[in-house]
């Protein structure tokens, strides 16, 4: 679709612009040929010239209201090219050259590139292949960003309640939280937009001055670093800048130690229906970042945000020939992006998964929209598309975990050793096992159907039921296997002995040996 718009725009160029574009295409095409006389044959030069004219005609000669004079000149040149190719069909030419010329002439049989008369394409052309390649790449990119956007690696469960714990860590002590240099209402509204309509949101705010908490002050000091970072400017030159930042891994370790002592744990730390999201908001006077380049970072069990007093700070990103400036006083956009990644694994829009490379790659064409996941914009509002992505992430996690649970239980049944004695007991459990399994499968199908109809809220209501059903099947499988194990360990009361012609002589020999060993002996007199 993008390629179509580009072709439409380029089709209305002037004569001078058309000649310039043609010369650029010729120079770019023949730049790889090097020394023509030495490295390439004349047939290759002719084929390259045909490709250039074909692309130019497709882009700039088709569908024009005012026909270009250059197109008529190229039409005459194409006739000359046909004549030159026909010269290679003679017996004096090499076989490879003759074959190339014949293929090119067949390809040009039904061409009518520089006129508006009807033409019947029987073969794929270079221009059509190029257009289809651009169109396929655009459609594939839209599929990766709109239909199935990339998600972070991890399990993101659905919770009925989300409790945001805001810890504002400051250098100096404030009497009231309203005196902090933060817009608390805007922060709460932004965090609430990340929560689905079926979820309940809760907030708790805390002030933690570094001067009052020696352990927290030590954690901040240990995690603080400084590094020289090379910065690529718009003009293509490098500049070295010194940045002060917090090492997220070290800071996470220090904060986890404080959390182990219970000083940072909330009242819902072990609740199944409530997820606590600790957000550590560091307020510092000097410019401060996280891991050299970020204003906020999502970790496995917390989110770290830094705020400074710099209103216009030059970042490491450039767009449209200018550097992107960040307002370090209001890191709300970065904080919402980090929290959305922590909650549901949402990644910035320019990050996609490449199946060919089996890793994440960058595609900045789709970094659009005024939302937290678009780094090149200033807005931070969540759209319905992002809410649907969050819901799909919860559904994926629930389905994947239930499938793994059921498969692990079935695997234990498969490797269980069977016997004639356990068959009757297993038959008593068989009906209930099948019923529980069928119930889980029916929930899988129902959730898939509802999700396919884009009714994500209805699908989310079934996730707890699916989790209980999967666990119920697994527990019943464990109960069934436990009931079979005592039978495997029971000893047989009857010993079956087979008799043959050698059995009686063997018994007689054994009896004789026992009699000889155990027979009473006559006592000997003791002589002093």
């Amino acid at each position: 679709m993008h390629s179509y718009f580009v072709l439409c725009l380029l089709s209305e160029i002037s004569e001078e612009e058309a000649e310039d574009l043609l010369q650029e295409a010729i120079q770019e095409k023949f730049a790889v040929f090097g020394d023509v006389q030495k490295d390439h044959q004349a047939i290759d030069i002719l084929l390259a010239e045909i490709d250039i004219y074909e692309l130019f005609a497709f882009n700039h000669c088709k569908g024009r209201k005012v026909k270009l004079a250059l197109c008529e000149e190229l039409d005459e040149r194409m006739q000359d090219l046909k004549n030159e190719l026909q010269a290679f069909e003679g017996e004096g030419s090499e076989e490879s050259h003759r074959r190339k010329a014949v293929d090119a002439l067949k390809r040009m049989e039904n061409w009518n590139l520089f006129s508006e008369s009807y033409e019947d394409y029987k073969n794929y052309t270079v221009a059509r292949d190029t257009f289809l390649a651009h169109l396929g790449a655009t459609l594939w990119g839209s599929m990766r960003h709109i239909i199935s956007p990339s998600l972070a690696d991890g399990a993101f469960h659905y919770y009925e309640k989300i409790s945001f714990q805001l810890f504002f860590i400051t250098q100096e002590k404030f009497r009231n939280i309203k005196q902090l240099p933060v817009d608390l209402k805007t922060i709460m509204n932004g965090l609430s937009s990340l929560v689905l309509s079926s979820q309940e949101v809760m907030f708790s705010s805390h002030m933690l001055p570094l001067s009052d908490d020696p352990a927290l002050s030590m954690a901040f000091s240990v995690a603080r670093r400084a590094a020289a970072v090379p910065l690529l400017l718009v003009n293509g030159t490098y500049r070295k800048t010194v940045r002060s930042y917090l090492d997220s891994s070290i800071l996470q370790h220090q904060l986890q130690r404080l959390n182990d002592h219970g000083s940072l744990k909330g009242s819902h730390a072990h609740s199944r229906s409530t997820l606590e999201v600790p957000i550590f908001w560091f307020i510092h006077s000097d410019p401060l970042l996280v891991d050299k380049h970020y204003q906020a970072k999502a970790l496995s069990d917390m989110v770290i945000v830094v705020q400074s007093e710099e209103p216009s700070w030059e970042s490491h990103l450039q767009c449209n020939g200018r550097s992107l400036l960040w307002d370090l006083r209001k890191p709300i956009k970065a904080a919402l992006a980090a929290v959305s990644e922590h909650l549901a694994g949402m990644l910035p829009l320019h990050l996609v998964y490449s199946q060919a490379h089996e890793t994440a790659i960058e595609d900045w064409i789709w970094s659009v929209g005024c939302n937290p996941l678009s780094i090149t914009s200033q807005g931070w509002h969540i759209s319905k598309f992002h809410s649907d992505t969050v819901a799909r992430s919860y559904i994926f996690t629930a389905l994947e975990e239930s499938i793994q649970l059921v498969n692990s239980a079935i695997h234990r049944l498969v490797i269980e050793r069977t016997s004639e004695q356990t068959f009757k007991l297993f038959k008593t459990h068989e009906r209930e096992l099948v019923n529980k399994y069928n119930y889980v499968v029916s929930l899988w199908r129902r959730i898939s159907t509802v999700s396919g109809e884009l009714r994500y809220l209805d699908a989310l209501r079934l996730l707890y039921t699916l989790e209980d059903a999967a666990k119920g099947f697994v527990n019943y499988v464990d109960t069934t296997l436990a009931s079979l194990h005592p039978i495997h360990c029971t000893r047989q009361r009857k010993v079956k002995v087979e008799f043959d012609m050698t059995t009686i002589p063997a018994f007689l020999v054994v009896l004789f040996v026992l009699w000889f060993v155990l027979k009473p002996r006559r006592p000997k007199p003791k002589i002093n």
Side-chain angles (χ1 to χ4, degrees):
M1 192 174 296
H2 286 260
S3 302
Y4 175 78
F5 292 143
V6 173
L7 295 176
C8 290
L9 292 175
L10 293 178
S11 63
E12 299 301 327
I13 60 178
S14 62
E15 289 281 354
E16 293 77 8
E17 293 174 338
E19 292 180 0
D20 293 339
L21 289 175
L22 180 60
Q23 291 299 324
E24 291 178 1
I26 293 175
Q27 292 177 3
E28 181 180 357
K29 184 71 174 181
F30 287 98
V32 299
F33 277 74
D35 191 346
V36 175
Q37 299 297 333
K38 184 179 300 185
D39 300 332
H40 296 276
Q41 302 295 333
I43 185 64
D44 298 323
I45 306 299
L46 293 177
L47 296 179
E49 191 174 353
I50 292 173
D51 293 340
I52 295 173
Y53 295 158
E54 181 189 5
L55 285 173
F56 183 85
F58 186 81
N59 291 340
H60 308 296
C61 297
K62 291 297 180 182
R64 287 185 60 93
K65 297 180 180 179
V66 180
K67 191 173 183 179
L68 291 173
L70 182 60
C71 294
E72 297 180 357
E73 298 177 5
L74 294 181
D75 191 14
E76 297 177 358
R77 174 58 183 160
M78 292 295 289
Q79 296 298 327
D80 297 336
L81 289 176
K82 287 184 179 180
N83 296 332
E84 295 181 19
L85 288 174
Q86 289 174 356
F88 284 94
E89 292 183 324
E91 297 180 357
S93 302
E94 296 182 6
E95 179 64 25
S96 60
H97 294 176
R98 187 184 303 110
R99 185 169 56 255
K100 290 181 180 179
V102 171
D103 293 340
L105 289 173
K106 289 182 179 179
R107 171 178 156 196
M108 298 168 63
E109 282 181 358
N110 296 308
W111 280 1
N112 200 4
L113 297 178
F114 301 98
S115 65
E116 296 299 329
S117 60
Y118 174 77
E119 53 190 83
D120 182 19
Y121 286 101
K122 292 185 177 180
N123 297 321
Y124 285 99
T125 62
V126 175
R128 186 179 180 185
D129 289 345
T130 304
F131 172 75
L132 292 178
H134 285 293
L135 181 61
T138 303
L139 293 176
W140 176 241
S142 63
M143 288 288 291
R144 291 193 299 182
H145 288 83
I146 299 176
I147 306 301
S148 58
S150 299
L151 296 176
D153 186 18
F156 304 97
H157 300 93
Y158 173 75
Y159 292 86
E160 294 178 345
K161 300 178 182 179
I162 305 295
S163 176
F164 294 106
Q165 295 181 338
L166 295 169
F167 298 96
F168 294 101
I169 304 173
T170 60
Q171 291 178 296
E172 57 186 42
K173 188 175 182 180
F174 292 88
R175 295 182 179 179
N176 195 320
I177 197 171
K178 295 181 180 179
Q179 297 178 345
L180 292 174
V182 295
D183 190 349
L184 187 58
K185 183 178 180 181
T186 303
I187 295 174
M188 295 174 65
N189 291 335
L191 294 175
S192 299
S193 65
L194 301 176
V195 178
L196 302 178
S197 58
S198 60
Q199 294 176 308
E200 181 183 349
V201 61
M202 298 179 293
F203 292 96
S204 61
S205 303
H206 311 274
M207 291 192 303
L208 300 175
L210 294 176
S211 58
D212 292 351
D213 195 332
L216 188 60
S217 178
M218 179 61 68
F220 178 80
S221 301
V222 171
R224 187 171 179 180
R225 295 284 189 273
V229 179
L231 182 64
L232 178 62
L233 302 181
V234 179
N235 57 8
T237 61
Y238 282 94
R239 186 183 67 191
K240 184 178 66 174
T241 59
V242 179
R243 292 183 180 177
S244 179
Y245 67 95
L246 296 177
D247 191 304
S248 62
S249 60
I250 298 177
L251 185 59
Q252 181 186 23
H253 175 70
Q254 297 294 331
L255 293 176
Q256 285 174 345
R257 292 179 58 186
L258 297 177
N259 196 18
D260 292 338
H261 296 292
S263 58
L264 300 179
K265 289 184 178 180
S267 58
H268 306 285
H270 303 288
S271 175
R272 172 61 188 90
S273 62
T274 304
L275 173 65
E276 287 188 347
V277 182
I279 303 175
F280 295 93
W281 198 293
F282 290 87
I283 302 176
H284 200 264
S285 58
D286 300 328
L288 188 66
L289 299 175
V290 180
D291 292 343
K292 299 181 184 180
H293 303 290
Y294 308 101
Q295 291 179 279
K297 194 69 176 292
L299 303 177
S300 59
D301 54 354
M302 65 183 68
V303 177
I304 299 176
V305 185
V306 291
Q307 176 179 329
S308 307
E309 296 181 359
E310 184 66 35
S312 181
W313 186 79
E314 185 178 1
S315 68
H316 63 286
L317 301 173
Q318 292 89 30
C319 184
N320 294 329
R322 294 180 298 175
S323 297
L324 294 180
L325 301 179
W326 289 350
D327 187 359
L328 300 185
R329 298 175 305 177
K330 298 179 180 179
I332 299 178
K333 175 184 173 69
L336 294 182
V339 173
S340 64
E341 180 180 351
H342 179 81
L343 283 177
M346 298 179 65
L347 296 175
L349 296 178
H350 65 275
L351 294 178
V352 295
Y353 179 76
S354 173
Q355 293 181 343
H357 302 87
E358 296 184 351
T359 185
I361 61 174
E362 295 182 358
D363 186 0
W364 289 93
I365 296 178
W366 296 94
S367 182
V368 295
C370 293
N371 57 79
L373 303 178
S374 176
I375 298 180
T376 55
S377 68
Q378 300 297 327
W380 49 268
H381 295 285
I382 297 295
S383 64
K384 187 64 170 61
F385 163 73
H386 298 104
S387 298
D388 291 344
T389 304
V390 172
R392 287 201 298 265
S393 178
Y394 294 149
I395 295 172
F396 293 158
T397 300
L399 288 175
E400 183 178 10
E401 290 188 347
S402 63
I403 291 173
Q404 291 178 354
L405 281 175
V406 172
N407 287 342
S408 63
I410 294 176
H411 178 70
R412 291 196 295 273
L413 285 175
V414 170
I415 64 175
E416 180 68 18
R417 184 170 57 88
T418 59
S419 63
E420 182 180 354
Q421 288 73 26
T422 60
F423 179 74
K424 293 182 179 180
L425 182 59
F426 178 79
K427 292 293 290 185
T428 60
H429 296 275
E430 180 184 8
R431 184 179 183 86
E432 187 66 19
L433 281 173
V434 174
N435 291 338
K436 290 183 177 294
Y437 174 77
N438 290 335
Y439 182 52
V440 175
V441 174
S442 65
L443 287 175
W444 288 342
R445 293 175 178 173
R446 185 177 178 184
I447 292 175
S448 301
T449 302
V450 173
S451 300
E453 297 172 354
L454 304 183
R455 295 187 289 121
Y456 296 116
L457 294 181
D458 295 337
L460 292 175
R461 296 187 182 97
L462 299 173
L463 297 187
Y464 279 167
T465 306
L466 175 62
E467 181 181 358
D468 294 338
K471 290 182 178 179
F473 174 75
V474 173
N475 293 335
Y476 197 78
V477 168
D478 294 338
T479 302
T480 302
L481 296 178
S483 63
L484 299 180
H485 289 169
I487 297 180
H488 293 316
C489 301
T490 303
R491 294 182 178 179
Q492 300 288 344
R493 295 189 177 185
K494 295 182 179 179
V495 180
K496 185 178 181 181
V497 180
E498 296 183 0
F499 289 91
D500 55 12
M501 296 302 296
T502 60
T503 302
I504 297 177
F507 270 109
L508 295 177
V509 172
V510 172
L511 291 176
F512 176 77
V513 172
L514 291 176
W515 173 80
F516 182 77
V517 173
L518 300 178
K519 70 177 181 177
R521 300 179 181 273
R522 295 173 59 185
K524 294 182 179 181
K526 184 177 180 181
I527 302 175
N528 293 330

